[in-house]
Amino acid sequence: MPSLTTDQLHQVAETFHRDGFARVPGVLDDSLVASLRQRTDVLLDDPQLAARENPELHDRHYAQAHTSATGERTPFILRNTIELDPLFLAMLEHETILPLAEAIVGPGARFCGQNVLRNQPGVAIDSWHVDDGLFYPVPEDVERHDPRIQLPVLWLTVQIALSDLDQPAHGPTAY
């Protein structure tokens, strides 16, 4: 996808502020998707990387496994990817992703981390969650995101599917 126009960026930001999320299809071209998937598979399937740690980082482990009910461990999350391959580092300045983040958060947006989830059948994050403190909790009587409450966006997650999602239940989070 070529860079978005100013009008398109404004529309995505409006949607995000209204709904609490925005879906932007086709951000990455097929060759970049294939390269990201290939590198993810190589890294997540590397036993040396699975054992590697960096105590200087918030998430010390580079690879996190999911343990199934039968005790089988499946590589699931690749953490701190910008240290592992220049391909992931380049995503921080991608011609569409950075302008989208700045349209929502504001000029000078910064990325603080980059992880890859490789879902396998039956392995997914099973509920929405808060990674850190909830800065602006929504009142109990508000069912979802209330567009009448205009709060600054301090933090957001950019999720990029590297495979087709035919329906929401096949997405990175089950709900």
Side-chain angles (χ1 to χ4, degrees):
M1 164 183 267
S3 299
L4 298 176
T5 67
T6 302
D7 287 343
Q8 290 170 318
L9 289 170
H10 180 72
Q11 183 179 8
V12 170
E14 277 188 2
T15 299
F16 182 89
H17 288 289
R18 182 190 67 236
D19 298 337
F21 71 95
R23 181 178 173 272
V24 185
V27 170
L28 306 181
D29 66 47
D30 291 345
S31 64
L32 181 53
V33 168
S35 296
L36 288 165
R37 286 181 69 151
Q38 186 272 337
R39 281 310 292 152
T40 296
D41 288 342
V42 166
L43 291 167
L44 272 177
D45 294 336
D46 180 350
Q48 289 180 332
L49 184 64
R52 189 170 146 196
E53 289 185 22
N54 183 341
E56 300 295 318
L57 299 172
H58 176 73
D59 292 316
R60 309 170 70 122
H61 299 275
Y62 289 92
Q64 178 181 332
H66 168 78
T67 304
S68 71
T70 62
E72 180 183 358
R73 293 191 47 82
T74 305
F76 178 49
I77 301 175
L78 183 62
R79 299 193 182 278
N80 305 309
T81 57
I82 58 177
E83 283 189 32
L84 301 175
D85 193 285
L87 181 63
F88 295 107
L89 183 60
M91 295 300 296
L92 299 180
E93 296 180 335
H94 186 273
E95 66 182 350
T96 303
I97 297 169
L98 182 57
L100 279 168
E102 288 184 325
I104 293 167
V105 177
R110 300 290 183 261
F111 292 94
C112 66
Q114 186 184 78
N115 301 323
V116 178
L117 279 66
R118 182 176 66 179
N119 291 356
Q120 302 293 330
V123 179
I125 295 173
D126 60 5
S127 64
W128 293 106
H129 62 281
V130 175
D131 286 333
D132 197 1
L134 185 58
F135 300 106
Y136 296 104
V138 177
E140 291 291 330
D141 62 332
V142 175
E143 185 176 325
R144 291 187 60 226
H145 176 77
D146 187 336
R148 296 170 296 176
I149 303 172
Q150 291 298 314
L151 301 172
V153 177
L154 303 176
W155 188 286
L156 77 132
T157 298
V158 176
Q159 296 185 359
I160 301 170
L162 298 179
S163 59
D164 289 338
L165 304 175
D166 298 332
Q167 50 188 294
H170 296 155
T173 355
Y175 55 94

